[in-house]
Amino acid sequence: MTAKNELTKSLMASIWFMFLTFPIMVIRVNTVTDTIEWRWQNMFAVGFGAFFLSMLWRYLIRKKEMSGKKDSQSRKSPIYQVIRDQKFALPGLAAIAVFTILFPHIFSMYQTNIMISALIYVMLGLGLNIVIGLAGLLDLGYVAFFAVGAYSYALLNLHYGITFWIALPLGGLLGAVAGIILGYPVLRLRGDYLAIVTLGFGEIIRLVMENWNEFSFGPSGIANIPKPGFFGMELSLHATTIYIFYTIVALVIFTIFVINRLENSRIGRAWIALKDDEIACQAMGIDKARTKLRAFALGATWAGMGGVVFAAKTTFINPASFTIWESVIILCTVVLGGMGSIPGVICGAMLLILLPEYLRDFGEFRMITFGSVLVLMMVFRPGGMIENVRKTYQFKK
Amino acid sequence: MLKIRNIDAFYGNIHALKNISMDIEKGEIISLIGANGAGKSTTLMTICGVVPARGGEITFEGTAINNMATDKIVALGINQVPEGRHIFPYLTVMENLDMGAFLRSDARGIKQDMDYIFTLFPRLAERRNQAGGTLSGGEQQMLAISRAIMTRPRLLLLDEPSLGLAPIVTRQIFEIIKKINQENKTTIFLVEQNANLALHISDRGYVMETGSITMTDTGRNLLANEDVKKAYLGI
Ligand SMILES: Nc1ncnc2c1ncn2[C@@H]1O[C@H](COP(=O)(O)OP(=O)(O)O)[C@@H](O)[C@H]1O
Ligand SMILES: [Mg+2]
């Protein structure tokens, strides 16, 4: 494409934009005096703005295509190279560890609470990453298992006085059971169909919780869920927050550990292979249904545990916390961060949860900024922030 | 070894296999030839349990395997190299081979088989850390066959191994197939459109037309048969 061609295209874009925004940007009807005000200067502003943005856009896309051509094979995310490099990895990890330990003492309770939410999403993102990133099953109803976990803790505590630490594995277990019950009939579906059915299932769980008053107390939800106790001791509000913070940090580390092991295990490779080619997997003797079901159940386990922590943190849950929007956000953390990549998902979750918090200053532009960041990410880094680079066998003599 | 008795198979209401019967004896190379769409691939898929068999019976060493799940059939020792190779494009050559050993846990034996494969296909040894998707067609076919060997099959089903390969590569592959049969006593069921080459290395052959077996004889006799010559050998 020639430069002239680019210029005409940008020009067309700017004219199109001027036309589109004409009614809102140029015409203003003054209802008091019944006159129309023509604000032509706005039209030029839009025109110039659109023209330059379009040029910039084209330039960036061009640059991206060029670099893609150069070395699409060997291009690795620089962050990954840093992580893999022993020289940086250890001090980096140590710095993160020190920062994490000190975090609740340096920052205010407000910040710590936000960080706890972010870490819950990290855990959910990592769990969903098993289902989507590793096994390639598009699950849009993931929040249902999150709800199962949260309600397990709330209800078990309400009726039987079960404490947080017992509820945590139970919530995970119940999540897994829900995953198996849903997964069993659904997993013979593929791709879009699976997405639609899981989407429906997510909503069904929420609607049941909303309407089954005797069981879940309907839209009014369940309040006064106890925060976790420290060996039976009652802690002050401040101390509890710090305690939950460390708990969720430990859980995230546990999650990372398990997923790391899974990835390099036989079942992990079966998932990756199943994503590539189902027919070949069958020829290798892999039980398709069982392998998929395991991914689904494992993913749901983490959602269930995340739900328990969530209920303990907020001390109040109702169905409004488990809308489709949550599923979408969790999905975004996985896709944006980098499917299948653990550091990617962690960064994705942090960004997606913290960004809207700290963008509050932008007021009503918050969601627009957020959306633009997402769109730009997907155009310029379709593999996610930290693209997954699979570890491969190296042949050693 | 494998007995197929009066099998029918359907895709919706397409009657793909009509009353098929076949016998495969231990240690043989059997080929199944026929035109495009005759039902050759469907026959293999039915043996593997991917396409359900209706009526009749399939037995493998005395065990009835129709109605069995595919992974159970693979565990019994039947392995298929599907048409179009189906290697894992994002896994390396080594990892592809390792997937073949998915059901095995004998690390020693796996290592041995890998070494055997690399003597069989030195080309694969050179490319062991390369992603499967970046191999040439011939190399991919070699990899697909090797991956199947990794399952230690007693009956190996090959679906059109010559598909899309240059004649010289095809000949190499066929030589290797013969070699695998002789060295490991692996029984081989070969589905081919390249009837000439297939019948040359086969002990016996079956001819299939629109879902039915129309002829069966030794490889040599089929090569000499006038009808086969006219229809499949282009002579
Ligand atoms: N998945 C499928 N769905 C419907 N029809 C199929 C399918 N696969 C094959 N067929 C039909 O079954 C018949 C046999 O196909 P196939 O066994 O693939 O033939 P061959 O391998 O001999 O070329 C053909 O008529 C084909 O159109
Ligand atoms: Mg075929």
Side-chain angles (χ1 to χ4, degrees):
Chain A
M1 238 194 296
T2 59
K4 195 174 151 222
N5 205 334
E6 304 257 297
L7 268 174
T8 24
K9 280 209 169 153
S10 295
L11 207 62
M12 292 301 283
S14 90
I15 290 170
W16 180 236
F17 261 88
M18 285 194 272
F19 175 72
L20 275 184
T21 54
F22 184 80
I24 46 170
M25 294 304 282
V26 179
I27 305 175
R28 179 194 262 163
V29 181
N30 193 329
T31 44
V32 182
T33 56
D34 261 355
T35 52
I36 294 179
E37 204 183 317
W38 300 89
R39 300 174 298 169
W40 294 107
Q41 73 280 12
N42 277 358
M43 191 171 100
F44 291 114
V46 167
F48 276 116
F51 182 76
F52 279 110
L53 281 180
S54 166
M55 285 299 276
L56 184 69
W57 178 257
R58 265 163 232 285
Y59 170 73
L60 288 176
I61 295 258
R62 193 82 169 284
K63 214 172 115 186
K64 184 190 158 218
E65 277 169 359
M66 294 291 228
S67 71
K69 261 180 223 142
K70 242 187 296 171
D71 53 351
S72 62
Q73 267 303 314
S74 62
R75 202 181 57 191
K76 275 187 186 153
S77 162
I79 300 174
Y80 247 99
Q81 283 171 351
V82 172
I83 294 173
R84 287 282 154 78
D85 194 337
Q86 290 295 324
K87 245 192 339 239
F88 297 108
L90 273 179
L93 273 181
I96 292 174
V98 170
F99 179 72
T100 314
I101 291 170
L102 294 182
F103 189 90
H105 304 289
I106 304 173
F107 294 98
S108 67
M109 265 211 0
Y110 169 72
Q111 304 283 4
T112 310
N113 264 319
I114 292 176
M115 200 41 128
I116 293 173
S117 302
L119 285 169
I120 292 178
Y121 276 90
V122 167
M123 202 166 134
L124 293 175
L126 287 171
L128 187 62
N129 185 41
I130 300 177
V131 184
I132 295 185
L134 295 183
L137 305 166
L138 187 49
D139 179 359
L140 292 185
Y142 193 63
V143 75
F145 308 122
F146 185 49
V148 167
Y151 271 94
S152 307
Y153 178 40
L155 290 173
L156 285 171
N157 182 273
L158 189 71
H159 296 305
Y160 306 107
I162 285 181
T163 57
F164 175 81
W165 287 108
I166 298 170
L168 190 63
L170 272 181
L173 193 72
L174 287 171
V177 170
I180 290 171
I181 293 173
L182 166 72
Y184 198 73
V186 153
L187 282 178
R188 60 193 77 222
L189 301 173
R190 275 206 240 170
D192 318 353
Y193 301 102
L194 179 67
I196 292 167
V197 174
T198 48
L199 185 81
F201 181 74
E203 280 298 278
I204 288 172
I205 290 264
R206 188 180 63 80
L207 287 173
V208 167
M209 291 305 172
E210 202 148 277
N211 293 296
W212 193 359
N213 284 321
E214 303 79 47
F215 178 69
S216 63
F217 304 95
S220 53
I222 303 169
N224 294 327
I225 303 167
K227 299 204 167 213
F230 188 69
F231 295 111
M233 271 190 283
E234 282 287 322
L235 298 174
S236 71
L237 190 61
H238 184 70
T240 324
T241 308
I242 295 178
Y243 182 50
I244 296 182
F245 177 82
Y246 287 137
T247 307
I248 184 77
V249 167
L251 279 172
V252 166
I253 292 172
F254 173 65
T255 313
I256 294 172
F257 173 76
V258 171
I259 290 180
N260 211 352
R261 292 303 292 265
L262 274 176
E263 227 175 356
N264 297 317
S265 72
R266 201 152 255 224
I267 179 96
R269 254 176 304 129
W271 285 332
I272 295 169
L274 207 56
K275 203 166 57 170
D276 273 2
D277 196 321
E278 289 201 357
I279 292 181
C281 276
Q282 277 185 303
M284 299 302 102
I286 294 171
D287 187 337
K288 230 169 52 176
R290 207 154 81 228
T291 308
K292 285 184 179 178
L293 203 56
R294 278 191 193 157
F296 222 64
L298 266 170
T301 307
W302 261 271
M305 292 202 289
V308 174
V309 178
F310 175 77
K313 182 216 161 212
T314 54
T315 70
F316 167 74
I317 54 167
N318 71 348
S321 313
F322 308 106
T323 56
I324 178 101
W325 175 243
E326 299 306 311
S327 287
V328 172
I329 286 283
I330 304 167
L331 181 67
C332 282
T333 66
V334 176
V335 176
L336 186 84
M339 248 186 257
S341 136
I342 296 175
V345 173
I346 295 173
C347 292
M350 291 287 185
L351 188 82
L352 276 183
I353 305 306
L354 299 183
L355 198 63
E357 280 306 325
Y358 295 121
L359 281 179
R360 277 188 196 284
D361 295 341
F362 287 76
E364 55 196 280
F365 288 107
R366 180 164 79 122
M367 282 339 242
I368 293 183
T369 317
F370 185 60
S372 322
V373 169
L374 285 189
V375 171
L376 288 174
M377 274 299 297
M378 286 298 100
V379 172
F380 291 104
R381 286 206 72 102
M385 291 196 293
I386 304 180
E387 211 163 328
N388 188 26
V389 180
R390 264 177 8 81
K391 234 181 265 167
T392 49
Y393 283 79
Q394 288 303 323
F395 176 67
K396 291 183 212 81
K397 267 242 151 77
Chain B
M1 192 178 209
L2 185 80
K3 284 189 171 41
I4 303 177
R5 289 286 172 270
N6 311 102
I7 285 295
D8 283 276
F10 294 81
Y11 292 109
N13 45 22
I14 300 173
H15 199 166
L17 294 184
K18 299 164 191 157
N19 201 25
I20 299 286
S21 295
M22 292 174 126
D23 281 287
I24 297 167
E25 298 304 331
K26 206 169 176 136
E28 280 186 316
I29 298 185
I30 297 290
S31 58
L32 175 63
I33 59 173
N36 240 327
K40 305 181 299 295
S41 300
T42 308
T43 308
L44 294 191
M45 290 297 183
T46 312
I47 295 173
C48 290
V50 177
V51 173
R54 267 206 238 161
E57 194 180 36
I58 307 177
T59 56
F60 180 66
E61 298 179 326
T63 325
I65 59 168
N66 40 327
N67 304 329
M68 228 187 229
T70 305
D71 53 292
K72 299 284 182 313
I73 295 175
V74 174
L76 280 181
I78 300 182
N79 200 278
Q80 184 191 178
V81 178
E83 189 174 353
R85 307 185 268 266
H86 287 277
I87 56 159
F88 300 113
Y90 299 109
L91 300 184
T92 64
V93 169
M94 289 288 270
E95 288 173 318
N96 264 284
L97 293 177
D98 207 52
M99 285 307 298
F102 189 79
L103 293 178
R104 295 169 57 181
S105 49
D106 54 327
R108 256 265 215 70
I110 292 174
K111 178 85 181 55
Q112 248 170 25
D113 286 1
M114 284 219 187
D115 291 343
Y116 173 66
I117 281 162
F118 287 144
T119 56
L120 219 52
F121 300 107
R123 288 279 281 279
L124 290 184
E126 289 161 28
R127 289 166 171 68
R128 61 181 93 209
N129 291 324
Q130 196 173 320
T134 61
L135 299 176
S136 76
E139 289 159 358
Q140 289 192 6
Q141 186 64 57
M142 293 174 195
L143 180 56
I145 294 175
S146 305
R147 193 181 57 185
I149 296 175
M150 289 302 295
T151 67
R152 284 229 172 143
R154 275 171 298 148
L155 173 60
L156 182 59
L157 313 174
L158 297 172
D159 197 346
E160 305 215 16
S162 73
L163 192 76
L165 300 185
I168 190 164
V169 183
T170 308
R171 216 156 300 134
Q172 273 175 6
I173 299 243
F174 273 67
E175 267 162 34
I176 299 276
I177 292 172
K178 186 92 194 161
K179 203 167 161 192
I180 294 168
N181 170 254
Q182 283 165 351
E183 287 180 359
N184 302 344
K185 309 276 171 284
T186 310
T187 314
I188 288 175
F189 186 9
L190 181 61
V191 161
E192 258 303 333
Q193 288 207 53
N194 190 333
N196 191 9
L197 265 179
L199 289 175
H200 262 108
I201 65 162
S202 300
D203 298 302
R204 289 187 301 122
Y206 287 88
V207 180
M208 185 169 233
E209 266 172 44
T210 57
S212 309
I213 302 282
T214 52
M215 219 186 293
T216 171
D217 210 329
T218 61
R220 191 168 302 132
N221 284 351
L222 282 177
L223 278 170
N225 185 296
E226 288 303 319
D227 294 336
V228 174
K229 269 189 188 169
K230 231 187 279 163
Y232 303 109
L233 303 178
I235 303 171

